[in-house]
Amino acid sequence: YEADLHIEQCRITNMKSEDSLNLKNGRILMKNCLIANSASDAFDNDFTSGEIRDSEFINIRGDGLDLSGSTVTIVDSTISGNRAFGRGGGLANLGTATIQNSTFSGNAATYDGGGIYTGVSTNVQIRHATITLNRVDSDGNGTGTGGGISLGTFDQVLLTSSIIAGNVWGAVVAE
């Protein structure tokens, strides 16, 4: 709480807690980190600012990244294989996010935004990113929007030189 966090070359795996990492009212600089195989959100940022660079958020049973009231830049990072029970399998953005040269792939949400969810009146800039093979309505109950990206009302969005492809709606059906 109200701390500055500079974390490099870290591995946080197999966490069973509410969030693998949670920062409130501080500044973040994360480089070359891996958060994987966690039972809840990988990194919950509440009213923080800073940068996440060259990092991976993989196989999380919650949001890969949760930005609430935060201003965070995500650069050269991979957010993959995460499963949110609600919104934002890869990223739940309720603040300002700048995404550069990053990949959101294979994420899922039961409601909105398999890859990326943005709340009401948020800002997101996406440059040179790949958003692919994400799924929304992963529980198959007929609700949810935006397999790749779900945008909220009054959002400000800038999308430049990016690939958004192969994102889907609906549960996986066994054959």
Side-chain angles (χ1 to χ4, degrees):
Y1 184 77
E2 295 185 0
D4 292 343
L5 178 63
H6 182 147
I7 184 169
E8 290 191 47
Q9 299 181 0
C10 68
R11 293 178 55 91
I12 302 171
T13 61
N14 302 310
M15 297 296 292
K16 306 294 185 224
S17 61
E18 171 66 22
D19 299 317
S20 294
L21 189 58
N22 190 309
L23 181 63
K24 294 183 180 182
N25 298 318
R27 289 186 299 259
I28 177 69
L29 177 56
M30 174 184 276
K31 291 183 181 179
N32 300 308
C33 289
L34 167 70
I35 300 179
N37 305 316
S38 295
S40 188
D41 296 351
F43 191 8
D44 194 344
N45 294 269
D46 298 325
F47 306 101
T48 65
S49 63
E51 182 175 290
I52 297 168
R53 180 178 288 276
D54 300 312
S55 294
E56 296 178 275
F57 303 87
I58 299 172
N59 196 30
I60 306 300
R61 297 295 168 239
D63 308 321
L65 292 166
D66 185 341
L67 309 179
S68 298
S70 298
T71 301
V72 176
T73 300
I74 302 161
V75 182
D76 297 325
S77 294
T78 299
I79 297 89
S80 166
N82 305 303
R83 306 279 179 268
F85 300 101
R87 296 179 167 115
L91 168 66
N93 178 41
L94 302 171
T96 299
T98 301
I99 300 164
Q100 299 173 11
N101 303 319
S102 294
T103 299
F104 289 78
S105 177
N107 300 293
T110 55
Y111 196 55
D112 296 328
I116 298 171
Y117 167 77
T118 63
V120 176
S121 299
T122 62
N123 298 307
V124 63
Q125 295 183 20
I126 302 170
R127 295 185 176 106
H128 305 283
T130 300
I131 301 166
T132 188
L133 304 175
N134 299 290
R135 177 176 301 275
V136 72
D137 186 31
S138 60
D139 60 358
N141 71 356
T143 61
T145 61
I149 303 173
S150 178
L151 302 174
T153 308
F154 307 114
D155 283 351
Q156 295 181 15
V157 179
L158 173 64
L159 181 64
T160 307
S161 301
S162 295
I163 298 168
I164 302 174
N167 299 290
V168 296
W169 177 82
V172 174
V173 178
E175 294 184 26

